[in-house]
Amino acid sequence: MVRTHSLALIIGLVGVASVSAHQEPKTDAEIETQRALQRAAYYCAPAVGEFTAARKRAWQQQVLSGLPLNQAAFAPASIPSAGNPSLPTNEDLFNSGTYPSGSQTTPQGKQEILACDVIEEETEMQNNSCVLTPIVTEGPYYHNSGHPIRQNIAEYQIGLLTYLDIGVIDVNTCKPLPNVLVDIWQANATGHYAGHPEPAPHLVNEQPQVGGKRSGLLSAFPRTNFHEQWLRGAWQTDSHGVARFTTIFPGYYTGRATHVHAKVFTSWTENPNGTFDGGKLAHVGQFFFEDDLNMQVDKMYPYVENPIRDIRGRTRNWRDSLNIFEDSHGPEGEYNPIFKMHLLGGVINQGLVGFITMGINGSYEMDNWWKG
């Protein structure tokens, strides 16, 4: 049976501007729309901060407590996990008493308002350290149909185990946004997307663009394999506005910094085969990782087998083509699109967990389908 999901509109539009693929705001209306979202997310920063910090504290408490943790991060808490660290269930995260509410107090008696990291010595507000900017390009590797609804998107791709904890708030209300669909897709450890294994035959010897915004880029690989779905998937935020995924740390490819793509749909149609058709699109963005972490992962198998490792190497965040990394900080540079990462165990090869919160306008509908 086909089911249609929808989210009731909460508040009127901050602004109406149709945004095409990687179209920077140019008109007065588009610029004001972007800045309105910016201001709203800024004022939501304390709420976002506690939202993110609470999820991190709950996870850390479970790991440090030595209590049995849920199997594969998302199974019911009643299923034993052989003591391996993983993310807590939604019930564990948001049970009363699981984590302190409100602002914390340092040993020196100073009030601390934390937006991301729980650091006892911190006394300054870190306003936007975990808020993802609105609206950047979806890129050429999105599949308009066939994205599965699932939390574990890794399939049989080999790589560093990575859990992603993605919170969504509505900038109209500064509250977590439940029942929206977070859709993510990424490259594998050697820089390929599912369905796009090779360059077009006439572009096999193509060299990267030199100079300009497209510096370092190659033409997009065509989709020639239509059954592959690995490292693609979508999941509905729970009643607390959180969607969680199991994946691997993404690899890199020519011209682009390491990243994960994301869309948020406020309505969609679920198909009988477990995939969905998108409806109202409220957000398009890209997540990034710290360069130092990227460089460490580069030393691990199978990331060392990236075919461009010894030819062109990775693109650092600050050299990301099309200015996507820069654009992801917003028109006034107030956002931070980088996951806050933590080790799952004592060493990096035991896996990672990353936290980020997206501030979106739940009443907004955009046109951001790839037209390149």
Side-chain angles (χ1 to χ4, degrees):
M1 179 178 178
V2 176
R3 293 181 290 169
T4 300
H5 305 257
S6 62
L7 175 72
L9 300 183
I10 299 175
I11 296 181
L13 295 177
V14 171
V16 178
S18 179
V19 183
S20 64
H22 201 67
Q23 175 181 314
E24 296 179 0
K26 295 178 180 178
T27 69
D28 290 343
E30 289 173 346
I31 292 170
E32 180 52 34
T33 295
Q34 190 86 315
R35 288 183 173 174
L37 284 167
Q38 176 93 18
R39 290 192 298 269
Y42 181 88
Y43 290 121
C44 292
V48 172
E50 181 57 23
F51 182 37
T52 307
R55 285 145 49 203
K56 291 170 63 176
R57 285 197 298 270
W59 169 75
Q60 291 167 342
Q61 288 169 3
Q62 284 225 353
V63 171
L64 293 174
S65 69
L67 296 174
L69 298 174
N70 53 299
Q71 188 178 41
F74 303 108
S78 59
I79 300 177
S81 66
N84 292 323
S86 64
L87 292 175
T89 62
N90 300 343
E91 290 77 14
D92 294 328
L93 277 169
F94 293 99
N95 274 341
S96 176
T98 295
Y99 55 83
S101 60
S103 60
Q104 305 296 300
T105 303
T106 66
Q108 294 78 21
K110 296 180 180 180
Q111 187 183 48
E112 55 184 355
I113 306 176
L114 302 176
C116 202
D117 291 323
V118 183
I119 304 173
E120 291 297 322
E121 294 79 16
E122 181 61 74
T123 58
E124 297 178 358
M125 179 183 290
Q126 304 297 317
N127 281 305
N128 296 281
S129 60
C130 286
V131 184
L132 182 70
T133 181
I135 309 171
V136 296
T137 180
E138 73 168 30
Y141 294 114
Y142 186 73
H143 296 169
N144 290 335
S145 61
H147 264 208
I149 299 177
R150 60 183 179 183
Q151 288 180 285
N152 189 333
I153 69 173
E155 291 190 21
Y156 294 110
Q157 292 297 305
I158 301 172
L160 177 63
L161 172 65
T162 302
Y163 294 136
L164 301 180
D165 183 291
I166 301 171
V168 183
I169 66 160
D170 192 327
V171 295
N172 293 311
T173 64
C174 293
K175 294 183 181 298
L177 192 56
N179 305 318
V180 296
L181 193 70
V182 178
D183 185 19
I184 66 173
W185 66 104
Q186 65 174 77
N188 67 6
T190 54
H192 291 86
Y193 284 89
H196 304 261
E198 298 174 333
H202 66 288
L203 295 174
V204 169
N205 297 316
E206 181 187 18
Q207 296 301 308
Q209 171 73 34
V210 177
K213 291 182 67 174
R214 292 184 57 84
S215 179
L217 286 182
L218 296 172
S219 300
F221 288 13
R223 186 179 182 184
T224 56
N225 187 323
F226 288 83
H227 75 271
E228 288 183 340
Q229 295 179 325
W230 40 263
L231 299 178
R232 299 175 183 271
W235 197 252
Q236 184 175 336
T237 57
D238 61 21
S239 60
H240 304 284
V242 180
R244 297 183 179 88
F245 297 90
T246 301
T247 184
I248 62 169
F249 197 87
Y252 61 89
Y253 52 95
T254 301
R256 288 302 319 278
T258 300
H259 60 281
V260 174
H261 294 267
K263 287 189 174 185
V264 179
F265 293 92
T266 55
S267 69
W268 67 96
T269 300
E270 184 175 340
N271 300 316
N273 64 356
T275 66
F276 76 94
D277 294 326
K280 293 181 180 178
L281 176 64
H283 176 89
V284 178
Q286 295 184 27
F287 308 114
F288 296 85
F289 303 87
E290 294 286 0
D291 266 328
D292 288 347
L293 175 60
N294 291 333
M295 302 297 279
Q296 292 302 313
V297 176
D298 285 351
K299 302 174 184 177
M300 303 173 64
Y301 175 85
Y303 300 90
V304 293
E305 295 190 348
N306 192 310
I308 66 169
R309 179 175 182 264
D310 299 321
I311 303 172
R312 292 181 285 269
R314 75 153 44 255
T315 298
R316 305 291 290 273
N317 286 341
W318 55 276
R319 295 199 65 181
D320 194 22
S321 294
L322 297 175
N323 294 332
I324 294 174
F325 180 73
E326 293 182 11
D327 288 352
S328 294
H329 289 78
E332 296 169 353
E334 295 292 340
Y335 289 87
N336 187 341
I338 298 175
F339 273 110
K340 300 299 180 182
M341 305 299 293
H342 298 268
L343 299 177
L344 281 175
V347 293
I348 190 172
N349 63 8
Q350 289 180 298
L352 301 167
V353 56
F355 296 84
I356 202 164
T357 297
M358 290 189 283
I360 75 167
N361 184 346
S363 303
Y364 189 36
E365 181 177 3
M366 68 173 65
D367 169 24
N368 197 257
W369 305 102
W370 179 253
K371 302 173 181 65

